[in-house]
Amino acid sequence: MTATSTEVQAGTPAARPTEGETISGGHLVAKALRAEGIDVIFTLCGGHIIDIYDGCIDEGIQVIDVRHEQVAAHAADGYARVTGRPGCAVVTAGPGTTDAITGVANAFRAESPMLLIGGQGALNQHKMGSLQDLPHVDIMRPITKFASNVVTTERVADMCSMAFREAMAGAPGPAFLEIGRDILDAHVPLESAVLPQPGHYRASTKSIGDPNDVDRLTEILVDAERPCVLLGSQVWTARGSDAAIDFVRKLNIPAFMNGAARGTLPPGDPHHFHLTRRHAFNNADVILIVGTPFDFRMGYGKRLSQDATVVQIDMDYRTVAKNRDVSLGLVGDPGAILAEVAKAASERSGKSADKRESWLESLRQEEQRLKEERLPRLMRADAPVHPLRLAHEINEFLTENSLFIGDGGDVVTFSGGVVQPKGPGLWMDPGPLGTLGVGVPFAMAAKVARPDREVVCLFGDGAFSLTGWDFETMVRFDLPFIGVVGNNSYMNQIRYGQIQKYGEARGDVGNKLGDVKYDEFAKMLGGYGEEVRDPKDLRPALERARESGKPSLINVWIDPNAFAPGTMNQTMYK
Ligand SMILES: Cc1ncc(C[n+]2csc(CCOP(=O)(O)OP(=O)(O)O)c2C)c(N)n1
Ligand SMILES: [Mg+2]
């Protein structure tokens, strides 16, 4: 290493050599991001990391500066979900890095590939008590697939490529690199810097696993009379949507979808099922679980018929058969495996085509019955607005180009049963960490990555408050989206449990938010805002927000005494 700048203190520019081909650590970061196809970083500035910004200018990487590091990390997670490429957040040492922890943790549970780069004091001040010094790598290790510091400028890009290799392998997830300010600021001769070349520093880990198991699964499925499949988030993460669609059509299997896989089949598709999941899981002879764990959302696998043949496909070997034995487990890429099974099945004839058709028909009838049964609840005309009516209006408003984001407690739980994305990749929720506050950062990432998409985000008033100041960032970068705040003035999902446990008189402690006019907040920051009290005004307000072409918030006063059925069962805590 040459020309170290370990004496440089925060705020003083690093000395740049005037001759010879040299490159600094920050510029090497930018080159590594470019090599990975990353065209934007989400960041909040700090003296430790400014050389990365300087590198981004040279590499044509956009710098989106936010108001809280949690937002930067969630946005990197969101960018990965929308693009299929890793997202990147850059934060400063100490509090910058700790602020980003929630975003990294969310990406960890959601299997979303992102790289968080955190600053650090100079090596020659190691453990001397430098400004903002913390053991970042130790802190990040349990919530990342890979966490390391970088100790030479020459290997900055190399370490980034290593982080990407780890983040993208198998079931993806976040990686963390701590890079000290001297490492970033130092200039080294270009020829001594390790510069992994795009497309040559990591291999695809897409696999079909054991081919014998693909055969066994094909056998099981061609002979099944009442099969069903649950397509989980990994189907979207691994971009297996087309293969999954082809699979359910060729094998004529009813499909349920959860998490990021919602919308794989659009509502109205003959193989799209939604309300009959429990019915199907109770009555199927074969249940195929693809790319989603047996976690709390699945009752830890205990809600599947005991007599059914249960098959699980997952990118992570640790997820297969966790919490519940399976008849057959396959570890590999969901799309690749489903494509292989569809191909193998087309060469075999099943014995049960007629029986299967009557199974599908019975499910369709049950689906229709349940839909009609709940329709009056979706159409409720009373004020304050019922959350189901709000969800219904949003669902009707969505187009085939609308990406829906849910960020909140009960108001979003209600919407989960009603809002149907119209295509693959058009649904975003935090995932199994259940993090409130992902809405604005996800909307930001989605609009940056896909400006052509309409983004509609439903917030709880509590959830919005956590990261809502970055609405201003949406305005500053001209990132229009349609925000809807289901405002019940409470953290209602928690309040319900308190009322049940401690009674009405003691139930409102620690969960009251006050009657905040979020429409005025939006206007104050330069966006579009209006409020709605009557359900009949919802649609016109949504249209006006769409027309405004601005970041918008429609503040909808919803019924504080409406609680989601899931909350009333308290299933999420069981
Ligand atoms: C970051 C974070 N903090 C706390 C919680 C716990 N929590 C779950 S739901 C909820 C209430 C959310 O209130 P709001 O967004 O207004 O939705 P509502 O239930 O009122 O519809 C809280 C606090 C969480 N999931 N995430
Ligand atoms: Mg609320």
Side-chain angles (χ1 to χ4, degrees), residues 169-203:
F176 172 70
L177 286 178
E178 174 198 88
I179 318 183
R181 57 165 298 116
D182 52 340
I183 304 292
L184 286 175
D185 287 344
H187 288 250
V188 295
L190 193 53
E191 67 270 15
S192 68
V194 184
L195 264 179
Q197 291 305 299
H200 296 278
Y201 58 79
R202 63 180 179 84

PDB file of all heavy atoms in Angstrom, residues 169-203:
ATOM      1  N   ALA A 169     -25.490 -16.204  -3.013  1.00  0.00           N
ATOM      2  CA  ALA A 169     -25.404 -17.667  -3.061  1.00  0.00           C
ATOM      3  C   ALA A 169     -26.633 -18.305  -2.429  1.00  0.00           C
ATOM      4  O   ALA A 169     -27.084 -17.872  -1.368  1.00  0.00           O
ATOM      5  CB  ALA A 169     -24.153 -18.136  -2.334  1.00  0.00           C
ATOM      6  N   GLY A 170     -27.148 -19.350  -3.065  1.00  0.00           N
ATOM      7  CA  GLY A 170     -28.293 -20.072  -2.513  1.00  0.00           C
ATOM      8  C   GLY A 170     -29.417 -19.118  -2.188  1.00  0.00           C
ATOM      9  O   GLY A 170     -29.762 -18.252  -2.987  1.00  0.00           O
ATOM     10  N   ALA A 171     -30.006 -19.285  -0.988  1.00  0.00           N
ATOM     11  CA  ALA A 171     -30.993 -18.299  -0.553  1.00  0.00           C
ATOM     12  C   ALA A 171     -30.237 -17.016  -0.254  1.00  0.00           C
ATOM     13  O   ALA A 171     -29.346 -17.000   0.593  1.00  0.00           O
ATOM     14  CB  ALA A 171     -31.728 -18.783   0.682  1.00  0.00           C
ATOM     15  N   PRO A 172     -30.555 -15.932  -0.947  1.00  0.00           N
ATOM     16  CA  PRO A 172     -29.745 -14.722  -0.774  1.00  0.00           C
ATOM     17  C   PRO A 172     -29.959 -14.038   0.572  1.00  0.00           C
ATOM     18  O   PRO A 172     -30.828 -14.435   1.351  1.00  0.00           O
ATOM     19  CB  PRO A 172     -30.206 -13.831  -1.923  1.00  0.00           C
ATOM     20  CG  PRO A 172     -31.524 -14.337  -2.340  1.00  0.00           C
ATOM     21  CD  PRO A 172     -31.608 -15.778  -1.942  1.00  0.00           C
ATOM     22  N   GLY A 173     -29.171 -13.006   0.810  1.00  0.00           N
ATOM     23  CA  GLY A 173     -29.290 -12.274   2.074  1.00  0.00           C
ATOM     24  C   GLY A 173     -28.283 -11.155   2.120  1.00  0.00           C
ATOM     25  O   GLY A 173     -27.510 -10.953   1.180  1.00  0.00           O
ATOM     26  N   PRO A 174     -28.269 -10.416   3.222  1.00  0.00           N
ATOM     27  CA  PRO A 174     -27.395  -9.246   3.297  1.00  0.00           C
ATOM     28  C   PRO A 174     -25.937  -9.578   3.627  1.00  0.00           C
ATOM     29  O   PRO A 174     -25.645 -10.606   4.241  1.00  0.00           O
ATOM     30  CB  PRO A 174     -28.015  -8.429   4.439  1.00  0.00           C
ATOM     31  CG  PRO A 174     -28.760  -9.402   5.272  1.00  0.00           C
ATOM     32  CD  PRO A 174     -29.160 -10.545   4.387  1.00  0.00           C
ATOM     33  N   ALA A 175     -25.044  -8.701   3.204  1.00  0.00           N
ATOM     34  CA  ALA A 175     -23.628  -8.774   3.563  1.00  0.00           C
ATOM     35  C   ALA A 175     -23.218  -7.394   4.086  1.00  0.00           C
ATOM     36  O   ALA A 175     -23.836  -6.384   3.754  1.00  0.00           O
ATOM     37  CB  ALA A 175     -22.792  -9.156   2.346  1.00  0.00           C
ATOM     38  N   PHE A 176     -22.203  -7.404   4.919  1.00  0.00           N
ATOM     39  CA  PHE A 176     -21.732  -6.143   5.502  1.00  0.00           C
ATOM     40  C   PHE A 176     -20.229  -6.011   5.346  1.00  0.00           C
ATOM     41  O   PHE A 176     -19.486  -6.969   5.579  1.00  0.00           O
ATOM     42  CB  PHE A 176     -22.089  -6.091   6.999  1.00  0.00           C
ATOM     43  CG  PHE A 176     -21.475  -4.917   7.720  1.00  0.00           C
ATOM     44  CD1 PHE A 176     -21.921  -3.620   7.476  1.00  0.00           C
ATOM     45  CD2 PHE A 176     -20.424  -5.096   8.626  1.00  0.00           C
ATOM     46  CE1 PHE A 176     -21.340  -2.523   8.121  1.00  0.00           C
ATOM     47  CE2 PHE A 176     -19.845  -4.009   9.276  1.00  0.00           C
ATOM     48  CZ  PHE A 176     -20.305  -2.724   9.017  1.00  0.00           C
ATOM     49  N   LEU A 177     -19.786  -4.842   4.941  1.00  0.00           N
ATOM     50  CA  LEU A 177     -18.353  -4.545   4.908  1.00  0.00           C
ATOM     51  C   LEU A 177     -18.087  -3.268   5.694  1.00  0.00           C
ATOM     52  O   LEU A 177     -18.739  -2.245   5.465  1.00  0.00           O
ATOM     53  CB  LEU A 177     -17.868  -4.343   3.470  1.00  0.00           C
ATOM     54  CG  LEU A 177     -17.732  -5.579   2.589  1.00  0.00           C
ATOM     55  CD1 LEU A 177     -17.287  -5.159   1.192  1.00  0.00           C
ATOM     56  CD2 LEU A 177     -16.739  -6.594   3.183  1.00  0.00           C
ATOM     57  N   GLU A 178     -17.147  -3.359   6.595  1.00  0.00           N
ATOM     58  CA  GLU A 178     -16.667  -2.175   7.308  1.00  0.00           C
ATOM     59  C   GLU A 178     -15.378  -1.727   6.626  1.00  0.00           C
ATOM     60  O   GLU A 178     -14.459  -2.531   6.466  1.00  0.00           O
ATOM     61  CB  GLU A 178     -16.400  -2.541   8.768  1.00  0.00           C
ATOM     62  CG  GLU A 178     -15.756  -1.437   9.582  1.00  0.00           C
ATOM     63  CD  GLU A 178     -15.125  -1.971  10.860  1.00  0.00           C
ATOM     64  OE1 GLU A 178     -13.938  -2.369  10.814  1.00  0.00           O
ATOM     65  OE2 GLU A 178     -15.820  -2.004  11.880  1.00  0.00           O
ATOM     66  N   ILE A 179     -15.345  -0.480   6.206  1.00  0.00           N
ATOM     67  CA  ILE A 179     -14.141   0.018   5.533  1.00  0.00           C
ATOM     68  C   ILE A 179     -13.697   1.306   6.230  1.00  0.00           C
ATOM     69  O   ILE A 179     -14.431   2.296   6.259  1.00  0.00           O
ATOM     70  CB  ILE A 179     -14.383   0.292   4.029  1.00  0.00           C
ATOM     71  CG1 ILE A 179     -15.229  -0.832   3.381  1.00  0.00           C
ATOM     72  CG2 ILE A 179     -13.048   0.428   3.312  1.00  0.00           C
ATOM     73  CD1 ILE A 179     -15.458  -0.669   1.891  1.00  0.00           C
ATOM     74  N   GLY A 180     -12.504   1.256   6.786  1.00  0.00           N
ATOM     75  CA  GLY A 180     -11.976   2.402   7.527  1.00  0.00           C
ATOM     76  C   GLY A 180     -11.718   3.593   6.619  1.00  0.00           C
ATOM     77  O   GLY A 180     -11.490   3.436   5.413  1.00  0.00           O
ATOM     78  N   ARG A 181     -11.727   4.775   7.233  1.00  0.00           N
ATOM     79  CA  ARG A 181     -11.606   5.987   6.415  1.00  0.00           C
ATOM     80  C   ARG A 181     -10.240   6.095   5.737  1.00  0.00           C
ATOM     81  O   ARG A 181     -10.131   6.589   4.614  1.00  0.00           O
ATOM     82  CB  ARG A 181     -11.915   7.254   7.217  1.00  0.00           C
ATOM     83  CG  ARG A 181     -11.058   7.463   8.456  1.00  0.00           C
ATOM     84  CD  ARG A 181     -11.184   8.889   8.953  1.00  0.00           C
ATOM     85  NE  ARG A 181     -10.706   9.816   7.935  1.00  0.00           N
ATOM     86  CZ  ARG A 181     -11.460  10.716   7.317  1.00  0.00           C
ATOM     87  NH1 ARG A 181     -12.719  10.833   7.613  1.00  0.00           N
ATOM     88  NH2 ARG A 181     -10.945  11.506   6.410  1.00  0.00           N
ATOM     89  N   ASP A 182      -9.215   5.558   6.359  1.00  0.00           N
ATOM     90  CA  ASP A 182      -7.893   5.601   5.706  1.00  0.00           C
ATOM     91  C   ASP A 182      -7.856   4.664   4.502  1.00  0.00           C
ATOM     92  O   ASP A 182      -7.222   4.964   3.488  1.00  0.00           O
ATOM     93  CB  ASP A 182      -6.791   5.242   6.710  1.00  0.00           C
ATOM     94  CG  ASP A 182      -7.052   3.931   7.441  1.00  0.00           C
ATOM     95  OD1 ASP A 182      -8.220   3.498   7.476  1.00  0.00           O
ATOM     96  OD2 ASP A 182      -6.093   3.341   7.967  1.00  0.00           O
ATOM     97  N   ILE A 183      -8.534   3.550   4.622  1.00  0.00           N
ATOM     98  CA  ILE A 183      -8.577   2.576   3.515  1.00  0.00           C
ATOM     99  C   ILE A 183      -9.332   3.190   2.330  1.00  0.00           C
ATOM    100  O   ILE A 183      -8.955   3.024   1.171  1.00  0.00           O
ATOM    101  CB  ILE A 183      -9.284   1.275   3.978  1.00  0.00           C
ATOM    102  CG1 ILE A 183      -8.598   0.695   5.211  1.00  0.00           C
ATOM    103  CG2 ILE A 183      -9.383   0.264   2.850  1.00  0.00           C
ATOM    104  CD1 ILE A 183      -7.231   0.155   4.987  1.00  0.00           C
ATOM    105  N   LEU A 184     -10.396   3.901   2.629  1.00  0.00           N
ATOM    106  CA  LEU A 184     -11.189   4.531   1.564  1.00  0.00           C
ATOM    107  C   LEU A 184     -10.440   5.700   0.923  1.00  0.00           C
ATOM    108  O   LEU A 184     -10.493   5.902  -0.277  1.00  0.00           O
ATOM    109  CB  LEU A 184     -12.532   5.034   2.119  1.00  0.00           C
ATOM    110  CG  LEU A 184     -13.577   3.970   2.432  1.00  0.00           C
ATOM    111  CD1 LEU A 184     -14.801   4.608   3.100  1.00  0.00           C
ATOM    112  CD2 LEU A 184     -14.027   3.238   1.164  1.00  0.00           C
ATOM    113  N   ASP A 185      -9.758   6.476   1.754  1.00  0.00           N
ATOM    114  CA  ASP A 185      -9.139   7.699   1.245  1.00  0.00           C
ATOM    115  C   ASP A 185      -7.801   7.461   0.551  1.00  0.00           C
ATOM    116  O   ASP A 185      -7.383   8.253  -0.296  1.00  0.00           O
ATOM    117  CB  ASP A 185      -8.917   8.692   2.400  1.00  0.00           C
ATOM    118  CG  ASP A 185     -10.221   9.323   2.870  1.00  0.00           C
ATOM    119  OD1 ASP A 185     -11.222   9.230   2.117  1.00  0.00           O
ATOM    120  OD2 ASP A 185     -10.259   9.896   3.976  1.00  0.00           O
ATOM    121  N   ALA A 186      -7.125   6.370   0.918  1.00  0.00           N
ATOM    122  CA  ALA A 186      -5.784   6.149   0.363  1.00  0.00           C
ATOM    123  C   ALA A 186      -5.854   5.886  -1.141  1.00  0.00           C
ATOM    124  O   ALA A 186      -6.787   5.261  -1.634  1.00  0.00           O
ATOM    125  CB  ALA A 186      -5.128   4.967   1.058  1.00  0.00           C
ATOM    126  N   HIS A 187      -4.805   6.377  -1.831  1.00  0.00           N
ATOM    127  CA  HIS A 187      -4.678   6.105  -3.266  1.00  0.00           C
ATOM    128  C   HIS A 187      -3.600   5.053  -3.468  1.00  0.00           C
ATOM    129  O   HIS A 187      -2.527   5.147  -2.886  1.00  0.00           O
ATOM    130  CB  HIS A 187      -4.282   7.385  -4.011  1.00  0.00           C
ATOM    131  CG  HIS A 187      -5.408   8.366  -4.096  1.00  0.00           C
ATOM    132  ND1 HIS A 187      -6.052   8.660  -5.271  1.00  0.00           N
ATOM    133  CD2 HIS A 187      -6.020   9.093  -3.127  1.00  0.00           C
ATOM    134  CE1 HIS A 187      -7.014   9.536  -5.030  1.00  0.00           C
ATOM    135  NE2 HIS A 187      -7.008   9.820  -3.737  1.00  0.00           N
ATOM    136  N   VAL A 188      -3.895   4.073  -4.286  1.00  0.00           N
ATOM    137  CA  VAL A 188      -2.901   3.037  -4.578  1.00  0.00           C
ATOM    138  C   VAL A 188      -2.719   2.983  -6.091  1.00  0.00           C
ATOM    139  O   VAL A 188      -3.614   3.385  -6.846  1.00  0.00           O
ATOM    140  CB  VAL A 188      -3.365   1.653  -4.052  1.00  0.00           C
ATOM    141  CG1 VAL A 188      -3.449   1.665  -2.534  1.00  0.00           C
ATOM    142  CG2 VAL A 188      -4.692   1.232  -4.666  1.00  0.00           C
ATOM    143  N   PRO A 189      -1.559   2.496  -6.535  1.00  0.00           N
ATOM    144  CA  PRO A 189      -1.377   2.370  -7.987  1.00  0.00           C
ATOM    145  C   PRO A 189      -2.468   1.472  -8.556  1.00  0.00           C
ATOM    146  O   PRO A 189      -2.790   0.436  -7.975  1.00  0.00           O
ATOM    147  CB  PRO A 189       0.001   1.714  -8.121  1.00  0.00           C
ATOM    148  CG  PRO A 189       0.683   1.975  -6.820  1.00  0.00           C
ATOM    149  CD  PRO A 189      -0.383   2.049  -5.782  1.00  0.00           C
ATOM    150  N   LEU A 190      -3.020   1.871  -9.664  1.00  0.00           N
ATOM    151  CA  LEU A 190      -4.137   1.142 -10.254  1.00  0.00           C
ATOM    152  C   LEU A 190      -3.779  -0.324 -10.488  1.00  0.00           C
ATOM    153  O   LEU A 190      -4.581  -1.232 -10.247  1.00  0.00           O
ATOM    154  CB  LEU A 190      -4.547   1.816 -11.573  1.00  0.00           C
ATOM    155  CG  LEU A 190      -5.881   1.392 -12.172  1.00  0.00           C
ATOM    156  CD1 LEU A 190      -7.018   1.526 -11.170  1.00  0.00           C
ATOM    157  CD2 LEU A 190      -6.174   2.223 -13.415  1.00  0.00           C
ATOM    158  N   GLU A 191      -2.529  -0.565 -10.940  1.00  0.00           N
ATOM    159  CA  GLU A 191      -2.176  -1.955 -11.284  1.00  0.00           C
ATOM    160  C   GLU A 191      -2.069  -2.844 -10.047  1.00  0.00           C
ATOM    161  O   GLU A 191      -2.139  -4.066 -10.162  1.00  0.00           O
ATOM    162  CB  GLU A 191      -0.891  -2.019 -12.140  1.00  0.00           C
ATOM    163  CG  GLU A 191       0.394  -1.603 -11.430  1.00  0.00           C
ATOM    164  CD  GLU A 191       0.681  -0.108 -11.577  1.00  0.00           C
ATOM    165  OE1 GLU A 191      -0.232   0.644 -11.967  1.00  0.00           O
ATOM    166  OE2 GLU A 191       1.817   0.300 -11.277  1.00  0.00           O
ATOM    167  N   SER A 192      -1.940  -2.251  -8.872  1.00  0.00           N
ATOM    168  CA  SER A 192      -1.856  -3.115  -7.682  1.00  0.00           C
ATOM    169  C   SER A 192      -3.239  -3.373  -7.056  1.00  0.00           C
ATOM    170  O   SER A 192      -3.384  -4.176  -6.144  1.00  0.00           O
ATOM    171  CB  SER A 192      -0.906  -2.509  -6.639  1.00  0.00           C
ATOM    172  OG  SER A 192      -1.466  -1.330  -6.116  1.00  0.00           O
ATOM    173  N   ALA A 193      -4.262  -2.693  -7.547  1.00  0.00           N
ATOM    174  CA  ALA A 193      -5.613  -2.905  -7.004  1.00  0.00           C
ATOM    175  C   ALA A 193      -6.253  -4.133  -7.652  1.00  0.00           C
ATOM    176  O   ALA A 193      -6.146  -4.313  -8.862  1.00  0.00           O
ATOM    177  CB  ALA A 193      -6.477  -1.679  -7.273  1.00  0.00           C
ATOM    178  N   VAL A 194      -6.872  -4.974  -6.825  1.00  0.00           N
ATOM    179  CA  VAL A 194      -7.573  -6.143  -7.367  1.00  0.00           C
ATOM    180  C   VAL A 194      -8.921  -5.670  -7.900  1.00  0.00           C
ATOM    181  O   VAL A 194      -9.718  -5.086  -7.164  1.00  0.00           O
ATOM    182  CB  VAL A 194      -7.794  -7.214  -6.270  1.00  0.00           C
ATOM    183  CG1 VAL A 194      -8.426  -8.464  -6.850  1.00  0.00           C
ATOM    184  CG2 VAL A 194      -6.480  -7.525  -5.559  1.00  0.00           C
ATOM    185  N   LEU A 195      -9.154  -5.906  -9.187  1.00  0.00           N
ATOM    186  CA  LEU A 195     -10.406  -5.433  -9.801  1.00  0.00           C
ATOM    187  C   LEU A 195     -11.134  -6.583 -10.492  1.00  0.00           C
ATOM    188  O   LEU A 195     -10.947  -6.812 -11.684  1.00  0.00           O
ATOM    189  CB  LEU A 195     -10.095  -4.335 -10.819  1.00  0.00           C
ATOM    190  CG  LEU A 195     -10.205  -2.900 -10.349  1.00  0.00           C
ATOM    191  CD1 LEU A 195      -9.837  -1.933 -11.460  1.00  0.00           C
ATOM    192  CD2 LEU A 195     -11.615  -2.585  -9.835  1.00  0.00           C
ATOM    193  N   PRO A 196     -11.946  -7.325  -9.743  1.00  0.00           N
ATOM    194  CA  PRO A 196     -12.679  -8.431 -10.362  1.00  0.00           C
ATOM    195  C   PRO A 196     -13.562  -7.918 -11.502  1.00  0.00           C
ATOM    196  O   PRO A 196     -14.185  -6.860 -11.385  1.00  0.00           O
ATOM    197  CB  PRO A 196     -13.511  -8.983  -9.202  1.00  0.00           C
ATOM    198  CG  PRO A 196     -12.785  -8.559  -7.971  1.00  0.00           C
ATOM    199  CD  PRO A 196     -12.213  -7.213  -8.314  1.00  0.00           C
ATOM    200  N   GLN A 197     -13.574  -8.642 -12.577  1.00  0.00           N
ATOM    201  CA  GLN A 197     -14.284  -8.185 -13.768  1.00  0.00           C
ATOM    202  C   GLN A 197     -15.747  -8.616 -13.773  1.00  0.00           C
ATOM    203  O   GLN A 197     -16.065  -9.740 -13.371  1.00  0.00           O
ATOM    204  CB  GLN A 197     -13.578  -8.722 -15.020  1.00  0.00           C
ATOM    205  CG  GLN A 197     -12.213  -8.092 -15.247  1.00  0.00           C
ATOM    206  CD  GLN A 197     -12.294  -6.566 -15.303  1.00  0.00           C
ATOM    207  OE1 GLN A 197     -12.962  -6.018 -16.169  1.00  0.00           O
ATOM    208  NE2 GLN A 197     -11.634  -5.878 -14.371  1.00  0.00           N
ATOM    209  N   PRO A 198     -16.616  -7.723 -14.231  1.00  0.00           N
ATOM    210  CA  PRO A 198     -18.047  -8.035 -14.258  1.00  0.00           C
ATOM    211  C   PRO A 198     -18.307  -9.378 -14.936  1.00  0.00           C
ATOM    212  O   PRO A 198     -17.745  -9.651 -16.003  1.00  0.00           O
ATOM    213  CB  PRO A 198     -18.647  -6.897 -15.094  1.00  0.00           C
ATOM    214  CG  PRO A 198     -17.657  -5.793 -15.047  1.00  0.00           C
ATOM    215  CD  PRO A 198     -16.320  -6.414 -14.805  1.00  0.00           C
ATOM    216  N   GLY A 199     -19.122 -10.197 -14.307  1.00  0.00           N
ATOM    217  CA  GLY A 199     -19.486 -11.481 -14.905  1.00  0.00           C
ATOM    218  C   GLY A 199     -18.452 -12.569 -14.710  1.00  0.00           C
ATOM    219  O   GLY A 199     -18.652 -13.714 -15.150  1.00  0.00           O
ATOM    220  N   HIS A 200     -17.333 -12.259 -14.066  1.00  0.00           N
ATOM    221  CA  HIS A 200     -16.264 -13.257 -13.936  1.00  0.00           C
ATOM    222  C   HIS A 200     -15.860 -13.537 -12.496  1.00  0.00           C
ATOM    223  O   HIS A 200     -14.909 -14.270 -12.263  1.00  0.00           O
ATOM    224  CB  HIS A 200     -15.035 -12.813 -14.736  1.00  0.00           C
ATOM    225  CG  HIS A 200     -15.306 -12.732 -16.204  1.00  0.00           C
ATOM    226  ND1 HIS A 200     -15.276 -13.840 -17.030  1.00  0.00           N
ATOM    227  CD2 HIS A 200     -15.680 -11.694 -16.983  1.00  0.00           C
ATOM    228  CE1 HIS A 200     -15.593 -13.481 -18.260  1.00  0.00           C
ATOM    229  NE2 HIS A 200     -15.849 -12.187 -18.254  1.00  0.00           N
ATOM    230  N   TYR A 201     -16.543 -12.923 -11.550  1.00  0.00           N
ATOM    231  CA  TYR A 201     -16.104 -13.145 -10.165  1.00  0.00           C
ATOM    232  C   TYR A 201     -17.101 -13.928  -9.326  1.00  0.00           C
ATOM    233  O   TYR A 201     -16.883 -14.128  -8.143  1.00  0.00           O
ATOM    234  CB  TYR A 201     -15.750 -11.824  -9.477  1.00  0.00           C
ATOM    235  CG  TYR A 201     -16.865 -10.794  -9.419  1.00  0.00           C
ATOM    236  CD1 TYR A 201     -17.875 -10.901  -8.464  1.00  0.00           C
ATOM    237  CD2 TYR A 201     -16.887  -9.723 -10.300  1.00  0.00           C
ATOM    238  CE1 TYR A 201     -18.884  -9.966  -8.408  1.00  0.00           C
ATOM    239  CE2 TYR A 201     -17.894  -8.779 -10.248  1.00  0.00           C
ATOM    240  CZ  TYR A 201     -18.888  -8.908  -9.306  1.00  0.00           C
ATOM    241  OH  TYR A 201     -19.887  -7.982  -9.252  1.00  0.00           O
ATOM    242  N   ARG A 202     -18.206 -14.321  -9.921  1.00  0.00           N
ATOM    243  CA  ARG A 202     -19.076 -15.232  -9.170  1.00  0.00           C
ATOM    244  C   ARG A 202     -19.904 -16.080 -10.129  1.00  0.00           C
ATOM    245  O   ARG A 202     -20.192 -15.661 -11.256  1.00  0.00           O
ATOM    246  CB  ARG A 202     -19.963 -14.495  -8.160  1.00  0.00           C
ATOM    247  CG  ARG A 202     -20.956 -13.526  -8.727  1.00  0.00           C
ATOM    248  CD  ARG A 202     -21.756 -12.873  -7.599  1.00  0.00           C
ATOM    249  NE  ARG A 202     -22.711 -11.926  -8.121  1.00  0.00           N
ATOM    250  CZ  ARG A 202     -23.922 -12.264  -8.559  1.00  0.00           C
ATOM    251  NH1 ARG A 202     -24.306 -13.534  -8.539  1.00  0.00           N
ATOM    252  NH2 ARG A 202     -24.742 -11.341  -9.023  1.00  0.00           N
ATOM    253  N   ALA A 203     -20.252 -17.277  -9.650  1.00  0.00           N
ATOM    254  CA  ALA A 203     -20.982 -18.210 -10.504  1.00  0.00           C
ATOM    255  C   ALA A 203     -22.422 -18.313 -10.033  1.00  0.00           C
ATOM    256  O   ALA A 203     -22.729 -18.057  -8.871  1.00  0.00           O
ATOM    257  CB  ALA A 203     -20.310 -19.578 -10.429  1.00  0.00           C
TER     258      ALA A 203
END
